[in-house]
Amino acid sequence: GAPELPLFYYHIPGTTHATIKAMDLFNSAQENGLRSLMGVKYVSTDMGDWFNLVAKYNKTKALLFAPEPKLASFGLGIGRGTVLAEDFFAGTYRRMKEAFFSSSSASTNATLEQAWKLAAGAVFGQYGGGSAERTVYGRFPHTRGLDLGPPRLPSRPITQDQKAELFKALDSIDFWNRL
């Protein structure tokens, strides 16, 4: 049944607006016998919560760190091997990583790339985050016409007017050429 199925928690409070700390969730699961909680993909700026989680559960759970901002992973010394999920920003992450580890002006170059990523993220956030991302996926040849289903709650699909505004905003930050 469902209690035996493995559960992997996606901790992304910036999107879900959930206020629970991942550490509290894992502690509660352990205290209440929820053995099926296998791990977490951690996307949050709360480094205290992350470090507490690692200190207690690193040997018994799958802990995937997807730091925001991504630049944080380099300063923590884990940017070379961290599991990072990047949809549109893989190229940005790669350029940040190369800049950070290759030159004396690395921090400036990496910071500029991070600033661009944050600007693009703000555009996506303005148009519903995941809803905007789903809309943009439809512009790429390999995903054009693919039914991606509805966005995750609490997001809603964007309107055609919002789609036009989204694309205009992305054009204004040279999004399509920087991928």
Side-chain angles (χ1 to χ4, degrees), residues 43-47 65-76 84 86 93 96 110-111 114-115 117-118:
V43 185
S44 174
T45 57
D46 187 344
M47 294 298 100
F65 185 58
E68 274 304 330
K70 299 296 181 241
L71 198 52
S73 69
F74 305 132
L76 295 170
L84 295 170
E86 287 292 337
Y93 175 74
M96 286 169 50
T111 301
Q114 181 67 37
K117 182 190 179 286
L118 292 173

Side-chain angles (χ1 to χ4, degrees), residues 68-111:
E68 274 304 330
K70 299 296 181 241
L71 198 52
S73 69
F74 305 132
L76 295 170
I78 58 176
R80 294 178 193 252
T82 304
V83 174
L84 295 170
E86 287 292 337
D87 294 332
F88 306 116
F89 304 111
T92 300
Y93 175 74
R94 182 185 44 76
R95 288 187 301 272
M96 286 169 50
K97 183 176 173 180
E98 289 169 359
F100 191 87
F101 290 111
S102 69
S103 72
S104 60
S105 62
S107 63
T108 300
N109 293 337
T111 301

Side-chain angles (χ1 to χ4, degrees), residues 132-154:
E133 290 174 6
R134 287 176 179 279
T135 301
V136 169
Y137 281 130
R139 189 163 176 178
F140 297 106
H142 62 286
T143 52
R144 192 172 292 131
L146 185 65
D147 181 6
L148 300 174
R152 286 182 293 204
L153 294 175

